[in-house]
Amino acid sequence: MDTAATGLTFRDATDADVDALVVLIESAYRGDASRAGWTTEADILEGQRTDPEGVLTVIKSPDSRLLIVEREGRVVACCQLEHRGEHAYFGMFAVSPQLQGGGLGKVIIAEAERTARETWGVREMHMTVISVRNDLIAWYERRGYRRTGRMTPFPYGDERFGVPQRDDLQFELLVKELA
């Protein structure tokens, strides 16, 4: 058995989880605490990554699931799955910075793909990644995702998504066929 998967439980988030999820997501991407892991965006974005309203919107959406990953009763990771017709969207992926690099992310993304296939019968998973995040994109490519070259603009001026520290940010669509 994969030791990264040992003792993990997966469940759908509830309203009671919002505060813990905001703390987890912020810790994985923003501020000095995020530098303990490798997924930090602290050098390209300041400010918030999400807020309670954004997390609650995902939890309440009828076409979305926010999966919580717990170990020994503690929230250690999360990810969003959203049904979008022929495909599912994967987002809001966060792993506790102290646990990054140990294989936990691989276990979670595999479970997310399985869940999307079984729940909605989709044959593709889509996600968007900030195009300058080469290390993160390479990690997803090793999981079978492919770059599409399809870009969407970063929402400059909307601080709900952070305060950009550079002017070349955009999102690239990554796609994986689910067997």
Side-chain angles (χ1 to χ4, degrees), residues 28-172:
Y29 291 98
R30 296 290 197 277
D32 287 336
S34 70
R35 295 180 194 282
W38 68 272
T39 62
T40 183
E41 295 171 345
D43 293 328
I44 60 173
L45 290 160
E46 291 181 352
Q48 70 178 30
R49 177 79 188 301
T50 193
D51 56 29
E53 294 77 24
V55 172
L56 192 58
T57 297
V58 173
I59 291 171
K60 296 288 190 191
S61 173
D63 293 322
S64 186
R65 296 178 72 180
L66 186 50
L67 296 180
I68 285 186
V69 184
E70 293 177 317
R71 180 177 279 152
E72 298 175 4
R74 193 176 127 246
V75 176
V76 297
C78 68
C79 67
Q80 172 194 12
L81 296 173
E82 184 177 329
H83 187 212
R84 294 185 178 177
E86 299 292 316
H87 70 273
Y89 179 81
F90 179 81
M92 209 174 272
F93 186 30
V95 174
S96 175
Q98 295 79 17
L99 299 176
Q100 292 177 17
L104 188 55
K106 289 186 264 190
V107 172
I108 295 165
I109 200 166
E111 177 64 13
E113 292 164 358
R114 185 197 66 74
T115 299
R117 270 193 319 270
E118 289 183 8
T119 303
W120 299 308
V122 296
R123 303 185 68 70
E124 279 189 345
M125 186 79 86
H126 291 196
M127 72 174 72
T128 54
V129 178
I130 297 173
S131 64
V132 298
R133 299 289 319 276
N134 294 320
D135 54 346
L136 186 58
I137 291 171
W139 187 87
Y140 285 121
E141 287 178 314
R142 290 191 299 273
R143 311 279 92 66
Y145 287 81
R146 66 177 171 75
R147 299 182 84 155
T148 65
R150 290 174 39 199
M151 303 290 181
T152 54
F154 186 87
Y156 284 92
D158 188 343
E159 291 189 6
R160 290 178 303 160
F161 301 98
V163 179
Q165 301 303 296
R166 43 193 295 177
D167 63 4
D168 62 342
L169 302 182
Q170 57 186 345
F171 294 104
E172 182 171 2

